[in-house]
């Protein structure tokens, strides 16, 4: 059933690759997803959670609701031509699919279509949904969708992500918040009357010093990153009256994140006190950490073992070797380390299935799928779509996004997700087991959405649309 629809969805993936769009601007991408859902006979709902570039397609009736989550946002500054092993930006876009989300969305929809066919063929009750989710790359769209209740009636959520290896995702990620700190001071002539000025840029620099000192006194798994958004101007003879720094704060657990955010806020206040400036903070986005689900992970791993790894051919491996030639041995070893695997430097593409809970969780980032996992039993897989050693968010990853190996890995992931969902529909006791595991993990752990209720995505008129 997956293979029957594979060519259509591979073609859609390539179209999405050709039109890389950034957070909350994915108008062409979501339009293509809507068209495909309608073409395949799904009931289409638009403007999910008040977000114009979010879509949901549903098929089936009654029974449990299983959601398969997709994404299609790109990254800035990663323009790259396809199918070549040298860095060569395109002329028509500055963006690129450096995280493989063109494949992610198309593969998830492919799985949902196959599950629809399975339900019809077996006359089973149940509803399968494809959720097209925008703005994963720092936009936290799923967090806003969770807040709007988009997953309230979902029984199980399934997703995947392109990777160098295939296997069940180790459900470890970092909860995060992204905040901007806006400092306001007083302008003055930096030479003739410096005593009259109060430098907002000084405040930013002092805040960064304080945050760096805090690194010694926070959990070893936590992370702090910052970027100067506004340095106050380019004239050194003017005391900078305004400056903004953006912080990304990460922690292994949601409660740890909340504590760290408050500490960073205090550092900002201290910097303002030292410089006699004022400071305001604005939350931009936030993701919860992933919560695992053992019954779902075991089920998905059984499907992976039965299917085996993707079947790449020698042409696939030859191009993967060309990509690896642009990388260092350290890149390749790091890829194996992230998945807890013994390095095999002569292997260009995945040829095995990595076991559950692979890796020690040190080499992880953040994902807004984490927020979904706090409200719905959730499972994810990694699908092998690119050369081992390819860094995430790189031109090399963009260059591989339309290759036959990427298509094969995407179809392989769709088969695993579809097989997982189909068995959940065929055996309701598996859904009950997943829910029981979810309830046990959540017991005594209150969910606080890292996105405050008064924070909206950067969409004009969002409040009116959400209502």
């Amino acid at each position: 059933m997956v293979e029957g629809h594979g060519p259509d969805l591979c073609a859609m993936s390539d179209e999405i690759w050709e039109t890389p769009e950034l957070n909350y601007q994915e108008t062409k991408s979501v339009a293509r997803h809507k068209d495909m859902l309608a073409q395949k006979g799904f009931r289409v709902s638009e403007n999910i959670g008040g977000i114009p570039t979010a879509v949901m397609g549903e098929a089936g009736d009654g029974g449990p609701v299983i959601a398969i989550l997709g994404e299609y946002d790109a990254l800035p500054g990663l323009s790259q031509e396809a199918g070549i092993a040298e860095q060569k930006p395109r002329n028509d876009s500055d963006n690129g699919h450096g995280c493989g989300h063109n494949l992610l969305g198309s593969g998830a929809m492919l799985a949902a279509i196959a599950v629809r066919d399975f339900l019809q063929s077996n006359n089973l009750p149940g509803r399968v949904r494809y959720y097209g989710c925008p703005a994963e790359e720092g936009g936290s769209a799923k967090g806003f969708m969770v807040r709007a209740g988009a997953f309230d009636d979902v029984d199980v959520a399934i997703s995947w992500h392109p990777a160098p290896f295939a296997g069940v995702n180790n459900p470890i990620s970092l909860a995060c918040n992204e905040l901007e700190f806006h400092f306001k001071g007083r302008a003055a002539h930096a030479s003739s009357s410096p005593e009259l000025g109060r430098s907002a840029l000084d405040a930013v620099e002092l805040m960064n010093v304080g945050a760096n000192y805090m690194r010694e006194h926070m959990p070893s798994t936590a992370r702090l990153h910052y970027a100067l958004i506004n340095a106050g101007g380019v004239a050194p003879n003017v005391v900078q009256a305004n400056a903004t720094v953006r912080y990304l704060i990460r922690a292994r657990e949601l409660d740890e994140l909340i504590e760290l955010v408050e500490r960073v806020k205090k550092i900002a206040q201290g910097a303002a006190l030292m410089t006699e400036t004022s400071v305001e903070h604005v939350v931009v986005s936030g993701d919860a950490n992933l919560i695992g689900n053992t019954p779902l992970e075991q089920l998905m791993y059984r499907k992976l073992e039965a299917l085996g790894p993707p079947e790449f051919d020698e042409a696939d491996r030859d191009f993967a070797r060309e990509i690896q030639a642009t990388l260092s041995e350290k890149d390749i070893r790091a890829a194996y380390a992230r998945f807890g695997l013994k390095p095999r430097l002569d292997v260009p593409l995945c040829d095995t299935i990595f076991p559950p809970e692979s890796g020690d969780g040190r080499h992880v980032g953040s994902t807004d799928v984490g927020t979904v996992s706090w409200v719905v039993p959730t499972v994810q897989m990694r699908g092998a779509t690119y050369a081992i050693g390819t860094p995430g968010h790189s031109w090399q990853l963009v260059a591989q996004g339309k290759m036959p190996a990427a298509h094969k890995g995407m179809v392989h992931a769709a088969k695993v997700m579809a097989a997982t969902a189909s068995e959940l529909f065929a055996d309701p006791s598996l859904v009950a087991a997943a829910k029981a595991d979810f309830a046990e993990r959540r017991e005594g752990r209150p969910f606080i959405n890292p996105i405050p209720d008064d924070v909206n995505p950067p969409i004009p008129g969002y409040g009116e649309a959400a209502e």
Side-chain angles (χ1 to χ4, degrees):
M1 291 172 177
V2 168
E3 288 179 353
H5 299 281
D8 288 346
L9 275 297
C10 286
M12 186 178 83
S13 173
D14 289 352
E15 291 178 38
I16 303 301
W17 187 98
E18 291 286 351
T19 56
E21 299 168 302
L22 305 182
N23 282 356
Y24 299 110
Q25 301 170 26
E26 309 95 339
T27 54
K28 294 178 181 177
S29 300
V30 74
R32 188 69 187 91
H33 280 241
K34 291 175 186 176
D35 289 345
M36 184 63 74
L37 286 168
Q39 177 185 326
K40 297 297 183 179
F42 279 68
R43 302 182 293 271
V44 180
S45 299
E46 303 181 28
N47 202 45
I48 304 301
I51 302 173
T53 54
V55 65
M56 188 267 284
E58 182 183 77
D61 296 290
V65 176
I66 296 179
I68 305 182
L69 312 180
E71 299 163 12
Y72 32 75
D73 57 320
L75 288 156
L78 286 179
S79 177
Q80 170 64 32
E81 290 192 7
I84 60 173
E86 62 176 298
Q87 188 170 12
K88 188 177 181 181
R90 295 166 57 186
N91 296 323
D92 57 344
S93 177
D94 294 328
N95 309 325
H97 275 285
C99 213
H101 291 182
N102 58 304
L103 298 162
L104 201 169
S106 300
M109 187 186 295
L110 175 56
I113 295 167
V115 174
R116 187 275 316 272
D117 290 350
F118 171 83
L119 290 172
Q120 290 180 346
S121 297
N122 292 277
N123 196 30
L124 284 173
R127 287 167 285 166
V128 59
R129 289 180 184 168
Y130 168 74
Y131 281 84
C133 307
E136 189 276 335
E137 297 289 358
S140 302
K142 295 184 192 68
F144 290 107
M145 294 165 71
V146 165
R147 195 177 71 185
F151 304 99
D152 284 356
D153 62 344
V154 173
D155 293 286
V156 170
I158 299 172
S159 191
W160 77 292
H161 202 287
F165 302 104
V168 178
N169 185 60
N170 192 357
I172 297 174
S173 71
L174 299 180
C176 70
N177 261 137
E178 197 162 353
L179 302 90
E180 288 186 353
F181 293 88
H182 301 277
F183 289 89
K184 186 175 181 61
R186 184 188 312 141
H189 194 294
S191 180
S192 64
S193 54
E195 73 280 2
L196 299 180
R198 298 294 181 267
S199 173
L201 181 57
D202 285 354
V204 166
E205 292 187 282
L206 285 167
M207 179 183 175
N208 292 342
V209 170
N212 284 330
Y213 274 107
M214 192 182 83
R215 294 177 194 275
E216 185 182 357
H217 305 286
M218 64 186 198
S220 60
T221 52
R223 299 286 185 270
L224 285 181
H225 325 283
Y226 57 83
L228 199 57
I229 304 301
N230 172 21
V234 297
N237 61 340
V238 178
V239 175
Q240 296 89 346
N242 297 281
T244 298
V245 63
R246 178 179 290 189
Y247 265 77
L248 179 54
I249 306 163
R250 306 187 202 242
R252 179 63 65 88
E253 298 291 340
L254 196 51
D255 55 353
E256 286 181 353
L257 172 69
I258 294 169
E259 180 181 343
L260 281 177
V261 169
E262 292 305 313
R263 291 176 67 187
V264 172
K265 289 178 185 177
K266 290 178 181 178
I267 290 171
Q269 293 162 4
L273 181 63
M274 284 189 286
T275 53
E276 295 189 84
T277 59
S278 61
V279 62
E280 294 181 351
H281 71 269
V282 176
V283 175
V284 177
S285 62
D287 303 329
N289 55 295
L290 282 165
I291 292 184
N293 193 284
T294 300
L296 293 178
E297 290 152 16
Q298 291 175 342
L299 171 61
M300 179 172 275
Y301 185 63
R302 291 198 298 273
K303 301 305 178 183
L304 273 159
E305 282 193 306
L307 187 61
E311 296 182 359
F312 299 120
D313 59 27
E314 197 56 35
D316 299 326
R317 287 186 281 271
D318 284 344
F319 183 69
R321 290 187 187 97
E322 292 183 39
I323 291 293
Q324 285 189 325
T326 71
L327 308 172
S328 68
E329 182 179 315
K330 186 176 180 180
D331 291 320
I332 297 171
R333 289 185 179 277
Y336 282 98
R338 183 174 182 183
F339 290 88
L341 302 174
K342 182 179 179 180
R344 298 161 62 207
L345 302 181
D346 59 337
V347 178
L349 284 169
C350 171
D351 62 359
T352 188
I353 302 297
F354 67 79
E357 299 184 358
S358 291
D360 59 10
R362 291 184 300 164
H363 308 281
V364 296
S366 305
T367 172
D368 58 6
V369 177
T371 307
V372 178
S373 75
W374 278 79
V375 297
V376 180
T378 300
V379 65
Q380 293 185 95
M381 70 165 285
R382 296 282 174 170
T385 62
Y386 53 79
I388 299 170
T390 304
H393 297 190
S394 67
W395 69 262
Q396 289 96 336
L397 203 154
V398 182
Q400 297 173 76
K402 293 173 63 179
M403 296 299 292
H407 294 158
K408 292 171 186 176
M410 182 190 99
V411 171
H412 178 264
K415 290 178 180 179
V416 175
M417 291 187 289
T420 301
S422 297
E423 187 157 338
L424 289 167
F425 280 120
D427 185 355
S429 69
L430 294 173
V431 176
K435 288 187 172 183
D437 185 274
F438 173 78
E440 182 179 348
R441 291 173 185 263
R442 280 291 320 276
E443 186 177 0
R445 301 174 70 187
F447 171 58
I448 300 174
N449 195 321
I451 304 174
D453 290 342
D454 61 349
V455 172
N456 291 331
I459 301 171
Y462 170 81
E464 294 85 348
E467 290 172 5

